[in-house]
Amino acid sequence: MASGRGLSGMGIHRKRGGGSRLPIVLVIFFSVLAPLIFFVGRGLYTSASIASTVDLGPLSLDSLRKSNMSASWKFVGAETSVENNATSEFLACMLIWLSPTDGRSQLVDTPAKQFRRQLRERRREKRAADLVQQDDEAIVKLENAAIERSKSVDSAVLGKYSIWRKENENDNSDSTVRLMRDQMIMARVYLSIAKMKNKPDLQQELQSRLKESQRALGDTAADADLHHSVPEKIKLMGQVLSKAREQLYDCKLVTGKLRAMLQTADEQVRSLKKQSTFLSQLAAKTIPNGIHCMSMRLTIEYYLLPPEKRKFPGSENLENPNLYHYALFSDNVLAASVVVNSTIMNAKDSSKHVFHLVTDKLNFGAMNMWFLLNPPGKAAIHVENVDEFKWLNSSYCPVLRQLESASMKEYYFKADHPTTLSSGASNLKYRNPKYLSMLNHLRFYLPQVYPKLNKILFLDDDIVVQKDLTRLWSVDLQGKVNGAVETCGESFHRFDKYLNFTNPHIARSFDPNACGWAYGMNMFDLKEWKKKDITGIYHKWQNMNEDRTLWKLGTLPPGLITFYNLTHPLEKSWHVLGLGYNPSVDRSEIENAAVVHYNGNMKPWLELAMTKYRSYWTKYIKSRNMDFGCGDLYVDFGCGVIRPTPIAFVHEPACFLSIVPRV
């Protein structure tokens, strides 16, 4: 009965509980599903917020690096979204089913929008990765380029200051010298301020230390040459400078003193540069004393010879057109001898060569005597005096007429009226005797000087012949008048370097980019010269340049004009230039050249010649019969003026007659 009541009680209980299922469902919903829906919904909302924030502007690599957003990207990224795609759709459906607004939730986007957002996020991630990679590659490229540049820098100059090369981390070998110079500069600054502020004790101490440092340093340029007492002097100077700084330092005053010292140093450098230019040009235009004295001795010996002994053998070959003829115009006996000697020594058959030398009255006797004492093998030689060419006068030759004019004398001798050494530096080039000598302009009158010849090879007196030149007479000039080596490998050797293209006559007649060529070794076809009236062309342009508006100086500019479109280019190995100014001429080019040319100021017979090139010239000097002494000679000018030698002829009276030995 008890059991029965229990069953009946249970039955009654189930019956009553059948109507209360809703509270059980609500309990389950609020305890399990509601929290889950809440957190999922919050996550979706957050991802939507992040996506909308990202969409506000373009993606920036700097913003990515500054703001740590990687976790957010992973949550809404492509992989996580794809893996949880089914779960997201189920939760979205549950929210729609529970929503009282018939599925129009403000917190959840549609699957299509979510998919488009995922695609955008994937593109942004890829673009960010590309930007990072490009940035890293650029940095590596810049570092590599800097390392490569540092390898090309001379480590001897930089010392430890190259940050890319570990082998240069040694101390600067001249650091002590530089420290001493810096100390001396500051000592001068404080010395000046001490005088200004009336500090006699400090002034005397600074002056004493400054003199000690100057004596210790002297002309030393390297630490290795310094005296062992230098470190102590540096220490004492440092103590004085420290004391001066405490008493005298004034930033504005010190800056002013340093600026004044810098300006003074700049002015001194400019002045020294002008003086250096002046002296180098003066040295280049001056005949060395030894050559000067040798020429005078040879002149005396020549005029002491009887007339019948002054003649050269082989005079019958002077007008033979079948031989190889050379023209050489020079007032330098030694230079002319090297040209002739080098040509003959490298010729296969010297008997077929004929040398035509023209010099001035002053050197005529010396030039003849030299080659009488040193005959050029079997070659024929003839020396003439340019002053005996009666046809070469001012009525025929425009240059002579212009040189005799007052304006030309003013231009050459009084330009700018220089009164000091430095101010005359730029004017010295106008005083070069070669611009006033007809020996320099005689090259434009070759058919008049040698009317019986068909071809002639013109040589300057500052060249050396290193190979047999006979092949030049067989070169086909293709109807041109002048055969020469072109020099337009550089832009400054073109026509616009030498001619004034602002002048309308020049501008309409010539190409400014036309290639220049070199005087010094030129093959001239004298038949074509006469046909084309080359001398007449030269006269025309020389007359037009009387006021020097077409070109300024020299014979190269009128040569370029006169032989314009009439020059045949020769192979460059025939004629190598630059040994008188260019220290970097390739050695192989020099040794393979038929002719080397010492064009420039550093002539091989001068002290300022470049030593590395001098041997190519000196090996052709015949040293016997060379007496460079002239201490026992007098110059008799024939007008009551007698001078001991050596003399500067340009400053002596014009009535010069002879050089006589002392009695």
Side-chain angles (χ1 to χ4, degrees):
M1 193 169 171
S3 62
R5 282 194 302 268
L7 288 173
S8 65
M10 288 178 64
I12 293 169
H13 178 71
R14 284 177 181 168
K15 186 175 182 180
R16 290 178 182 175
S20 58
R21 289 181 180 178
L22 182 60
I24 296 173
V25 172
L26 291 176
V27 170
I28 295 172
F29 174 76
F30 285 110
S31 61
V32 179
L33 294 178
L36 179 61
I37 293 171
F38 172 76
F39 286 113
V40 172
R42 184 179 179 183
L44 291 172
Y45 176 77
T46 305
S47 64
S49 301
I50 292 172
S52 62
T53 304
V54 174
D55 289 339
L56 288 177
L59 187 63
S60 170
L61 184 59
D62 292 336
S63 64
L64 289 174
R65 287 176 169 173
K66 292 177 181 178
S67 58
N68 186 13
M69 297 179 65
S70 59
S72 298
W73 281 29
K74 289 179 181 178
F75 179 76
V76 296
E79 295 144 1
T80 306
S81 299
V82 170
E83 291 172 0
N84 299 328
N85 188 37
T87 305
S88 299
E89 291 181 358
F90 170 74
L91 292 175
C93 292
M94 288 294 294
L95 286 170
I96 293 171
W97 178 70
L98 294 171
S99 175
T101 54
D102 298 328
R104 293 187 296 273
S105 174
Q106 301 300 319
L107 299 178
V108 181
D109 287 334
T110 63
K113 287 185 178 181
Q114 290 181 6
F115 182 71
R116 285 195 298 272
R117 186 180 299 112
Q118 292 166 7
L119 291 177
R120 284 196 298 271
E121 297 301 336
R122 280 199 293 267
R123 285 196 296 269
R124 287 192 177 91
E125 285 183 348
K126 186 176 183 304
R127 187 166 57 170
D130 291 342
L131 287 172
V132 172
Q133 183 178 1
Q134 290 175 9
D135 192 51
D136 292 341
E137 290 176 354
I139 292 173
V140 171
K141 192 177 295 184
L142 288 173
E143 290 177 352
N144 291 336
I147 292 171
E148 290 301 320
R149 284 196 303 273
S150 72
K151 291 179 180 178
S152 63
V153 177
D154 185 4
S155 60
V157 176
L158 283 183
K160 69 176 183 179
Y161 299 107
S162 173
I163 62 173
W164 297 104
R165 302 183 65 182
K166 293 183 179 180
E167 62 267 28
N168 293 326
E169 291 180 354
N170 58 305
D171 292 336
N172 192 322
S173 59
D174 303 330
S175 58
T176 306
V177 172
R178 294 172 60 187
L179 175 59
M180 291 189 70
R181 289 174 179 166
D182 291 343
Q183 284 186 333
M184 290 164 64
I185 291 171
M186 291 308 301
R188 292 188 183 98
V189 171
Y190 285 127
L191 183 61
S192 176
I193 298 175
K195 291 179 183 178
M196 184 188 304
K197 294 192 175 184
N198 194 19
K199 299 279 187 178
D201 295 339
L202 185 59
Q203 176 184 337
Q204 184 176 0
E205 195 172 357
L206 283 166
Q207 201 159 14
S208 174
R209 296 303 178 197
L210 184 59
K211 288 181 180 179
E212 287 182 2
S213 295
Q214 288 173 337
R215 285 194 296 267
L217 184 61
D219 297 329
T220 305
D223 289 356
D225 300 328
L226 292 172
H227 193 264
H228 61 83
S229 64
V230 163
E232 182 63 24
K233 289 182 170 57
I234 291 175
K235 181 180 178 181
L236 294 174
M237 175 65 88
Q239 292 172 354
V240 176
L241 290 176
S242 178
K243 181 179 177 181
R245 177 183 175 85
E246 292 175 358
Q247 297 184 25
L248 303 174
Y249 184 75
D250 182 329
C251 183
K252 185 176 181 180
L253 199 55
V254 170
T255 302
K257 292 293 182 183
L258 288 172
R259 186 179 294 111
M261 291 173 64
L262 180 61
Q263 291 174 352
T264 303
D266 285 342
E267 291 174 2
Q268 290 176 349
V269 168
R270 282 195 294 270
S271 176
L272 290 172
K273 282 183 177 179
K274 288 182 180 180
Q275 291 184 23
S276 175
T277 302
F278 180 91
L279 293 173
S280 63
Q281 291 187 9
L282 185 63
K285 308 304 183 286
T286 303
I287 298 295
N289 186 51
I291 297 177
H292 175 70
C293 294
M294 182 191 70
S295 179
M296 289 193 295
R297 283 190 173 279
L298 291 171
T299 300
I300 293 172
E301 294 180 21
Y302 178 75
Y303 286 109
L304 291 176
L305 286 176
E308 63 273 12
K309 292 187 178 181
R310 299 179 185 176
K311 296 180 180 180
F312 291 100
S315 58
E316 67 278 3
N317 294 329
L318 296 181
E319 296 180 348
N320 185 348
N322 296 320
L323 300 179
Y324 306 118
H325 294 266
Y326 301 85
L328 175 60
F329 308 146
S330 175
D331 58 358
N332 188 326
V333 177
L334 192 60
S337 73
V338 170
V339 175
V340 175
N341 291 342
S342 63
T343 305
I344 294 303
M345 290 174 67
N346 290 287
K348 294 179 180 178
D349 185 358
S350 63
S351 63
K352 294 184 178 180
H353 296 264
V354 181
F355 292 91
H356 303 268
L357 274 69
V358 181
T359 188
D360 54 16
K361 179 171 61 177
L362 187 62
N363 294 282
F364 177 72
M367 195 76 75
N368 275 282
M369 193 64 199
W370 173 269
F371 288 106
L372 288 170
L373 294 172
N374 303 280
K378 297 179 181 179
I381 193 165
H382 181 52
V383 180
E384 295 180 271
N385 181 359
V386 69
D387 297 311
E388 294 180 358
F389 294 163
K390 301 304 179 184
W391 53 269
L392 198 62
N393 50 58
S394 58
S395 61
Y396 173 66
C397 178
V399 170
L400 273 176
R401 184 181 68 253
Q402 292 167 9
L403 290 177
E404 292 173 358
S405 67
S407 62
M408 187 66 76
K409 291 177 181 177
E410 176 77 16
Y411 179 71
Y412 277 112
F413 295 107
K414 298 181 182 179
D416 299 331
H417 299 281
T419 57
T420 64
L421 188 71
S422 60
S423 63
S426 61
N427 184 56
L428 186 66
K429 61 184 179 182
Y430 300 120
R431 300 171 182 233
N432 191 335
K434 74 178 184 179
Y435 296 128
L436 305 176
S437 172
M438 276 309 300
L439 288 175
N440 200 40
H441 296 270
L442 196 61
R443 64 192 68 190
F444 294 103
Y445 299 96
L446 287 171
Q448 287 82 355
V449 182
Y450 310 110
K452 301 290 183 68
L453 301 180
N454 297 327
K455 276 189 174 184
I456 195 165
L457 183 64
F458 172 80
L459 297 176
D460 269 342
D461 64 357
D462 55 352
I463 64 103
V464 173
V465 178
Q466 300 186 128
K467 294 183 179 180
D468 182 38
L469 300 180
T470 54
R471 285 195 301 116
L472 281 170
W473 276 264
S474 61
V475 173
D476 183 8
L477 298 182
Q478 300 177 7
K480 307 292 186 182
V481 180
N482 174 26
V485 170
E486 293 182 334
T487 57
C488 57
E490 318 288 345
S491 60
F492 55 83
H493 284 147
R494 299 186 182 272
F495 270 46
D496 58 355
K497 166 66 178 177
Y498 305 100
L499 304 176
N500 177 19
F501 275 86
T502 62
N503 186 286
H505 297 293
I506 296 293
R508 66 170 171 259
S509 302
F510 306 102
D511 177 8
N513 293 316
C515 193
W517 45 268
Y519 268 130
M521 189 207 71
N522 305 80
M523 177 59 70
F524 290 111
D525 187 331
L526 300 183
K527 282 187 175 180
E528 290 294 327
W529 185 305
K530 296 172 187 175
K531 286 181 184 178
K532 294 180 169 59
D533 189 21
I534 296 300
T535 303
I537 296 173
Y538 165 69
H539 282 174
K540 168 195 166 185
W541 286 104
Q542 193 68 52
N543 282 322
M544 293 172 64
N545 193 47
E546 188 159 359
D547 55 357
R548 298 171 304 280
T549 57
L550 306 185
W551 67 88
K552 291 294 183 184
L553 302 168
T555 54
L556 181 56
L560 296 176
I561 287 178
T562 302
F563 296 100
Y564 184 63
N565 288 331
L566 296 173
T567 299
H568 175 72
L570 300 176
E571 293 180 7
K572 292 189 180 296
S573 60
W574 279 113
H575 187 189
V576 170
L577 299 101
L579 277 69
Y581 71 91
N582 184 4
S584 57
V585 181
D586 189 81
R587 185 183 182 89
S588 63
E589 287 186 14
I590 295 175
E591 294 177 350
N592 293 328
V595 169
V596 291
H597 195 169
Y598 292 83
N599 57 314
N601 285 338
M602 300 179 183
K603 303 300 184 187
W605 55 84
L606 300 175
E607 289 186 7
L608 51 78
M610 283 183 273
T611 307
K612 62 188 294 187
Y613 301 144
R614 183 173 259 161
S615 61
Y616 298 107
W617 186 82
T618 55
K619 67 181 179 181
Y620 292 107
I621 295 176
K622 290 186 177 180
S623 58
R624 71 183 185 90
N625 302 320
M626 288 180 63
D627 185 356
F628 291 102
C630 54
D632 58 345
L633 297 179
Y634 278 116
V635 178
D636 184 358
F637 289 91
C639 52
V641 178
I642 297 178
R643 296 277 190 272
T645 58
I647 61 169
F649 288 105
V650 293
H651 299 304
E652 298 300 333
C655 50
F656 169 79
L657 291 180
S658 62
I659 303 172
V660 296
R662 289 183 185 176
V663 179

